[in-house]
Amino acid sequence: KASETERWLRGELEAKHQQAAGHQEAAAVSSRRVAQLHEAAGDAERQIKDLKQLNQEEAGKTQSLQFEIVTYEDRIKDLRLAVEDAQTQARRWQKSHAEIEDEHAQESRKRKLAASELAD
């Protein structure tokens, strides 16, 4: 009976060893999975950091472009004002030129009239 009990105890002990080995294997698998998850989390954190940096760079570019747009809009306004000023000045010169031509024509008519009166 002692050997039967001993065999039974050895069987139980062997079962417990196998169960412990199974638990150790499961623990090893879990440890590897935890390591993989830590690595994936680290990768995700690096990607988030990279995306945030890229976002900041893009925001900086956007600000720069918005400043350039405002600068060009201001330049366009200045150019439009300059065009209006040039058109106004051109009208003045045209008017002034027409007045000078009228004066010359009047003087020419006066000279012709005076010359014709002298000839008579």
Side-chain angles (χ1 to χ4, degrees), residues 96-110:
S96 191
H97 181 70
E99 289 172 355
I100 291 169
E101 284 183 347
D102 285 347
E103 287 177 13
H104 283 295
Q106 286 175 7
E107 287 176 19
S108 178
R109 283 192 295 272
K110 285 180 186 177

Side-chain angles (χ1 to χ4, degrees), residues 88-102:
T88 301
Q89 187 61 43
R91 283 191 293 273
R92 284 187 197 137
W93 287 335
Q94 287 172 345
K95 183 179 177 183
S96 191
H97 181 70
E99 289 172 355
I100 291 169
E101 284 183 347
D102 285 347

Side-chain angles (χ1 to χ4, degrees), residues 15-116:
K16 294 289 180 191
H17 279 298
Q18 287 178 358
Q19 189 179 20
H23 288 178
Q24 282 181 331
E25 180 62 29
V29 168
S30 292
S31 292
R32 286 192 297 272
R33 184 66 183 142
V34 166
Q36 289 171 344
L37 291 172
H38 277 298
E39 186 177 336
D43 289 345
E45 287 174 353
R46 282 187 291 283
Q47 285 179 334
I48 288 170
K49 181 182 174 188
D50 291 347
L51 288 172
K52 283 181 178 178
Q53 182 177 350
L54 181 62
N55 190 35
Q56 286 177 343
E57 290 171 4
E58 292 300 318
K61 288 177 186 177
T62 300
Q63 276 184 329
S64 177
L65 288 174
Q66 287 173 340
F67 178 76
E68 283 186 47
I69 288 169
V70 168
T71 301
Y72 281 117
E73 287 173 343
D74 289 346
R75 182 71 177 132
I76 289 168
K77 288 176 189 172
D78 292 344
L79 289 171
R80 285 184 179 149
L81 290 173
V83 166
E84 288 177 23
D85 290 346
Q87 288 172 338
T88 301
Q89 187 61 43
R91 283 191 293 273
R92 284 187 197 137
W93 287 335
Q94 287 172 345
K95 183 179 177 183
S96 191
H97 181 70
E99 289 172 355
I100 291 169
E101 284 183 347
D102 285 347
E103 287 177 13
H104 283 295
Q106 286 175 7
E107 287 176 19
S108 178
R109 283 192 295 272
K110 285 180 186 177
R111 277 191 231 117
K112 285 180 186 176
L113 183 60
S116 92

